[in-house]
Amino acid sequence: MNTVYGVEMKPPIGKLPGFTAQLVRKTAELATVIDRDKQLVIISNKQEAMALKDYYISKDVYEEFYPLLVLSKLTVQKAIFTDYGFVSQNNDYYLYKNMVASFTINHGEDEEIKMALIQFEEHVIAQDQEVLYIDQSYIELIEGIARAYGLQLTFMTE
């Protein structure tokens, strides 16, 4: 799992146009921006992200800081995906790391896996190849379903 960081700013209201230009210029000086989503700047280096957060706070435009999981272009989004993540300006997939858990099925009979996947379906946020992403609050439920079908799961942690 690849973690990056999102630093969100609130739009500067009542500021001169030069203020916004200054924010953009200073953002580029402080951090290597790899992607964006509206007011959210995405950075791969945590120290740069923290420096940008501090700068936004000093300019009174800071909104929020998010650890994000980067998913591959092969990701299949489910209907609830946008409750837990977003597709960026560069058409990359991100999930809010603190909201989700991820796992793989690493052992089980084929038929049992198929049946369990049907049960998992309503709880899956996204699937990136063999990795399934769910709301963290569903870990016990998913483990229970896996036990019922005799499956072994591996939950990813960093």
Side-chain angles (χ1 to χ4, degrees):
M1 289 191 306
N2 186 16
T3 301
V4 297
Y5 306 92
V7 183
E8 186 175 14
M9 76 161 120
K10 49 188 170 191
I13 297 171
K15 303 285 186 183
L16 296 172
F19 181 79
T20 302
Q22 177 190 12
L23 286 175
V24 170
R25 194 169 36 257
K26 190 66 172 177
T27 296
E29 287 175 21
L30 290 172
T32 303
V33 177
I34 60 170
D35 206 347
R36 293 180 176 276
D37 183 57
K38 301 177 185 102
Q39 302 297 322
L40 184 70
V41 178
I42 302 168
I43 301 155
S44 61
N45 180 289
K46 188 173 185 178
Q47 288 73 27
E48 289 180 4
M50 296 305 289
L52 188 59
K53 174 185 172 183
D54 292 342
Y55 174 69
Y56 286 174
I57 289 170
S58 76
K59 294 299 182 184
D60 196 31
V61 294
Y62 173 72
E63 184 72 33
E64 192 65 60
F65 181 89
Y66 305 100
L68 302 168
L69 295 175
V70 183
L71 307 181
S72 80
K73 297 280 189 188
L74 301 174
T75 297
V76 176
Q77 301 174 54
K78 303 300 180 171
I80 59 173
F81 180 83
T82 55
D83 292 342
Y84 297 88
F86 58 93
V87 179
S88 72
Q89 180 177 306
N90 292 344
N91 288 317
D92 287 322
Y93 302 98
Y94 297 92
L95 288 172
Y96 296 104
K97 185 175 180 176
N98 298 336
M99 297 175 70
V100 300
S102 58
F103 68 95
T104 58
I105 301 170
N106 57 0
H107 182 72
E109 299 294 322
D110 288 345
E111 194 60 34
E112 301 298 314
I113 291 172
K114 286 179 190 172
M115 296 304 291
L117 286 170
I118 292 169
Q119 294 283 312
F120 293 160
E121 184 64 27
E122 70 182 273
H123 306 293
V124 172
I125 297 164
Q127 183 169 354
D128 188 357
Q129 298 166 54
E130 301 300 317
V131 180
L132 294 121
Y133 294 88
I134 59 168
D135 185 301
Q136 285 185 345
S137 66
Y138 292 136
I139 292 172
E140 287 183 33
L141 173 65
I142 295 299
E143 289 174 331
I145 293 169
R147 274 191 306 278
Y149 286 100
L151 308 180
Q152 290 180 349
L153 307 180
T154 299
F155 280 85
M156 286 22 155
T157 57
E158 274 192 314

